[in-house]
Amino acid sequence: MTTYLPYVFLTPLSIVALVLVAPQLIRYDPLRYAISLSTLVVAFAVIGYLLLLSHHYLGVDASWTGRDSIGGYPVLITSVFENPNHFGIVTTIGTVSVIYAWLETRRTLWAVAIPVLVVAILFSYSRTALAAGAVGTIVLLFKEDRRIGIVVGTAAIVGLLAIVYHPFFEEYYRLADESFAGRMDVWEEAWLAATVDPFVGAAFDSGIRHHNSYVSVLLNAGFVAGGFYLLAVGGALALAARKSIRGDRWDAYVFATLLVICIQFLTESTTFGGLTTMSLLFGLYAGLIVQLPTGRLRRYERFESP
């Protein structure tokens, strides 16, 4: 389809802008970047809360806002996003950024912002975002102090058990289970369709549902091109994990955020160059992994700079 042709030109531009140029701008003041992103996402959450209040008390009609969410209460919010899942994952990335900003500055403002964003994730009703946020937070805190990481990980497991067994979360868990079962059926159908023509794929305008970025790229681009793409994603994650182990808090933050994005890809169909929020953020954080040296080298660069 001709509507897909612009992406042939936009994809390399995205690579240059996000993978090559943007990390160099962030390079010498990564904390300022994290604080800027945190501030923006907190603003998104506040807008979501205000729209929810306006919906209930002023009758304002906003996309998805006010539908049933956790516990069956009408508290769903999407803020400036049309889809609550997109709002949920962006808020999750913002939460990891806020935690990083708090660890770096120890300012009360960021400590207060954490529960504001966590509640926003719950109100978004995005189960994948909630799970991805728990994983990303544990990774970041484990780097800070293994004991804290273990405590938070244990709390996450207890919270998961509460969602599964507590009556208050019964509807939440039931819908999550039905949603996952439905996604599994879609993934299986997409995988079977991908195997029909594995070398060149079914093309991006095939109209076949997939709801999974990893299956999607194999279906659309074939096992050759799609396989190279997935190897690149896996390579970025592996490099991020190695830098996180050897580097400092920033390296752990980038790895945690990239991990959050890759978990979200399990339930979202997007590829880098598609110009969705998640694809652009993936490109940026992959670039941060490739372009920025580890914390040890950054400290050396600051020492050597005039």
Side-chain angles (χ1 to χ4, degrees):
M1 293 174 62
T2 56
T3 53
Y4 284 82
L5 289 178
Y7 294 103
V8 176
F9 304 98
L10 289 173
T11 299
L13 290 177
S14 300
I15 293 172
V16 171
L18 296 172
V19 179
L20 301 178
V21 176
Q24 298 303 320
L25 301 177
I26 298 171
R27 182 182 188 115
Y28 293 106
D29 200 350
L31 177 59
R32 178 176 295 181
Y33 160 77
I35 288 177
S36 300
L37 178 61
S38 300
T39 303
L40 180 63
V41 175
V42 169
F44 286 158
V46 171
I47 291 172
Y49 290 132
L50 292 176
L51 286 174
L52 181 64
L53 292 174
S54 300
H55 171 79
H56 286 299
Y57 294 103
L58 300 177
V60 174
D61 186 19
S63 176
W64 292 80
T65 299
R67 296 188 185 183
D68 289 349
S69 182
I70 186 169
Y73 293 98
V75 293
L76 186 70
I77 59 176
T78 62
S79 186
V80 299
F81 298 86
E82 293 184 359
N83 189 305
N85 290 327
H86 294 167
F87 170 65
I89 195 63
V90 169
T91 308
T92 297
I93 292 173
T95 303
V96 177
S97 301
V98 165
I99 293 173
Y100 168 75
W102 176 72
L103 291 172
E104 285 287 327
T105 64
R106 301 294 176 172
R107 292 181 179 176
T108 306
L109 174 65
W110 300 121
V112 173
I114 294 173
V116 172
L117 294 183
V118 171
V119 173
I121 297 171
L122 291 172
F123 282 10
S124 75
Y125 209 24
S126 176
R127 281 80 71 180
T128 304
L130 191 61
V135 172
T137 299
I138 292 169
V139 167
L140 183 57
L141 294 180
F142 192 82
K143 176 67 176 181
E144 187 69 19
D145 189 318
R146 291 185 179 182
R147 293 169 296 181
I148 297 176
I150 292 172
V151 169
V152 173
T154 303
I157 295 173
V158 172
L160 177 62
L161 292 175
I163 291 175
V164 173
Y165 293 108
H166 197 282
F168 178 80
F169 296 100
E170 182 177 354
E171 183 69 6
Y172 188 88
Y173 173 70
R174 184 185 67 79
L175 292 176
D177 187 54
E178 291 179 358
S179 176
F180 182 73
R183 293 284 175 86
M184 287 289 290
D185 292 337
V186 170
W187 297 345
E188 183 178 0
E189 292 174 6
W191 173 260
L192 292 175
T195 59
V196 172
D197 199 347
F199 292 104
V200 296
F204 284 87
D205 59 348
S206 64
I208 301 172
R209 295 192 308 157
H210 21 72
H211 287 293
N212 183 301
S213 296
Y214 307 108
V215 175
S216 169
V217 72
L218 295 175
L219 170 66
N220 296 328
F223 282 70
V224 178
F228 278 113
Y229 179 88
L230 295 183
L231 283 174
V233 174
L237 271 176
L239 181 60
R242 188 175 67 178
K243 282 192 172 184
S244 177
I245 294 171
R246 297 180 177 180
D248 58 7
R249 188 182 291 142
W250 167 260
D251 299 300
Y253 160 70
V254 175
F255 172 51
T257 307
L258 193 62
L259 195 58
V260 166
I261 295 170
C262 288
I263 292 174
Q264 175 68 11
F265 281 169
L266 290 170
T267 56
E268 177 181 315
S269 298
T270 186
T271 52
F272 185 45
L275 305 185
T276 64
T277 303
M278 282 300 98
S279 67
L280 296 176
L281 285 172
F282 169 75
L284 175 60
Y285 280 88
L288 290 173
I289 287 298
V290 174
Q291 294 291 319
L292 267 65
T294 61
R296 185 183 306 170
L297 290 177
R298 286 199 305 278
R299 288 191 294 271
Y300 175 78
E301 287 176 349
R302 286 195 295 268
F303 178 77
E304 287 293 313
S305 61

